Amino acid sequence: GMGMQARRLLGDVQAAVAAHCAQAGGDVLVTYASDEAARLWSDGAAARAELPALARAERYCVGVARALQDPTAAYAALGADVLLLPLHAAQRCVDARALRAVVERAFVDVVNRVGVDVNASHARALLPFVSGLGPRKAHALAARVGARALEARSDLVVRRLCTRTVFVNCASFLRVRAAADVLDDTRVHPEDYDLARKMALDALDIEDDDDDARRRRRDGPSRHVADLMRRAPDKLDELDLARYAAELARLLGVHKLETLKFIRRELQHPHADPRAPFAPPDAAHVLHMLTGETVGASLRDDGSCLVAGTVVRVQPRFAIVQLDSGLEGFVGVASIADHRVEAASDELAPGQPVAAVVTRIDLERLSVDLSLRRSDIAAACALADAAPAADAYFDADAEARLRERARARQHASAARTRHIPHPLFKPLGARDAEHYLAARP
């Protein structure tokens, strides 16, 4: 799991991978990866059912790897448990049903932009978010596909895995990797395959004669599409798509200009992923993954961040304090007390709990500098007790109106209450008066 000890593991793995690459050649990236999804998934019933022969630690490792390679599928596999993750600082203030609806909408947007490899068993958790499917149809489709992989999109209909209506609605979002027809791994809808093939023929300036038809029957109907995508996708820019669309409208009565533009983009950039490319986490993100501390929120170096820790090592000129999060803090001898301290051991001992103030954050070494001086702690307490900075989005006028209405209701309630200046007067209602008098002689 994540912790400061993971730094040593990273170093060991990097050394082993570097030795392997020196012998075998190549370059292998070794980096940190978030384990928040893996920690939930590895303990779930779905993980135990999918990988029954693996121990919990092994399932955890599989979960980390999947989250790094396909984060959308890894988070979708959590189901409703995805709401247990810290998605936003204010998510506890939002109704759970509303939050789940927003999260599901985000999954739908991403899944239908990048597509789903229907043959990848771990990615089938994404099927409920595919347009045209939904949870019930997705579950039925996954059960019918089983372990027998699809060889083409048309298998969905040929093998009767779904109805033709469902196929028409969802086909362009389901990818079949390494299919015989290259278009099965694009977002081009099957009903537009002929348009894509015709565009490829024209872009490559190939005549559609009998000899070419025989070659296509032998090598596949999208042979020229594959050649175009591999060798010269820029040739598609030479096509006059407006004239294509006008001719289709004249002959067939359909308007296909936007479809033709989409096909051109897809053939030039097949299944282009709109998400940001992967980048190794920066130092602040690594610090958060290993310790749970967030720079600027739970960890600040402006003199207002109070932390608790335990002294783990004492040297003549400094001491090392381990915070509750596992982060280590350096305390110089001059920062131990307000008075002069000759040696750190005069004031501190291993195992001693201390309160401290963060004075510096060293992201490169993943450590902090601390001060144990009472004056610094008092100043930090004063800053913590000060009024928080105004929220830029806080509606002060609305608050003033609410306070004014509350005061008006309070005054109106007080005006309806009758006060009689007599020592035996009690402002009781009828029922309260009956209970009061029932106990009197």
Side-chain angles (χ1 to χ4, degrees), residues 292-309:
E293 302 282 9
T294 303
V295 177
S298 62
L299 200 64
R300 304 176 301 279
D301 57 359
D302 58 357
S304 65
C305 184
L306 279 168
V307 294

Side-chain angles (χ1 to χ4, degrees), residues 384-419:
D385 293 338
D391 188 339
Y393 299 98
F394 185 76
D395 193 338
D397 294 336
E399 183 196 29
R401 291 193 295 271
L402 288 173
R403 290 183 181 276
E404 185 61 32
R405 285 199 291 268
R407 283 196 294 267
R409 286 195 297 268
Q410 186 177 4
H411 291 325
S413 177
R416 289 194 298 268
T417 303
R418 185 182 181 189
H419 294 281

Side-chain angles (χ1 to χ4, degrees), residues 118 141 145 150 152-164 167 170-171 174 176:
V118 70
L141 177 61
V145 171
L150 271 66
R153 275 178 176 162
S154 58
D155 285 351
L156 290 168
V157 176
V158 172
R159 290 168 49 185
R160 297 183 180 181
L161 302 177
C162 66
T163 64
R164 291 184 179 274
F167 174 78
C170 70
L174 301 179
V176 180

Side-chain angles (χ1 to χ4, degrees), residues 205-224:
D205 197 18
I206 297 175
E207 292 294 333
D208 189 9
D209 52 20
D210 293 339
D211 291 338
D212 186 69
R214 283 193 295 272
R215 285 193 296 270
R216 288 203 308 273
R217 283 195 295 271
R218 183 190 64 207
D219 301 332
S222 298
R223 168 177 173 268
H224 297 306

Side-chain angles (χ1 to χ4, degrees), residues 162-238:
C162 66
T163 64
R164 291 184 179 274
T165 301
V166 172
F167 174 78
V168 169
N169 291 337
C170 70
S172 60
F173 306 111
L174 301 179
R175 306 176 62 177
V176 180
R177 300 290 183 91
D181 192 329
V182 68
L183 291 174
D184 284 342
D185 194 21
T186 68
R187 281 175 284 215
V188 178
H189 196 278
E191 68 183 10
D192 296 320
Y193 280 7
D194 287 340
L195 287 177
R197 292 162 184 161
K198 176 60 176 172
M199 290 171 63
L201 285 173
D202 290 348
L204 295 173
D205 197 18
I206 297 175
E207 292 294 333
D208 189 9
D209 52 20
D210 293 339
D211 291 338
D212 186 69
R214 283 193 295 272
R215 285 193 296 270
R216 288 203 308 273
R217 283 195 295 271
R218 183 190 64 207
D219 301 332
S222 298
R223 168 177 173 268
H224 297 306
V225 177
D227 290 343
L228 176 71
M229 295 171 65
R230 183 176 61 254
R231 295 193 291 112
D234 292 341
K235 284 184 174 292
L236 289 165
D237 293 329
E238 301 173 5

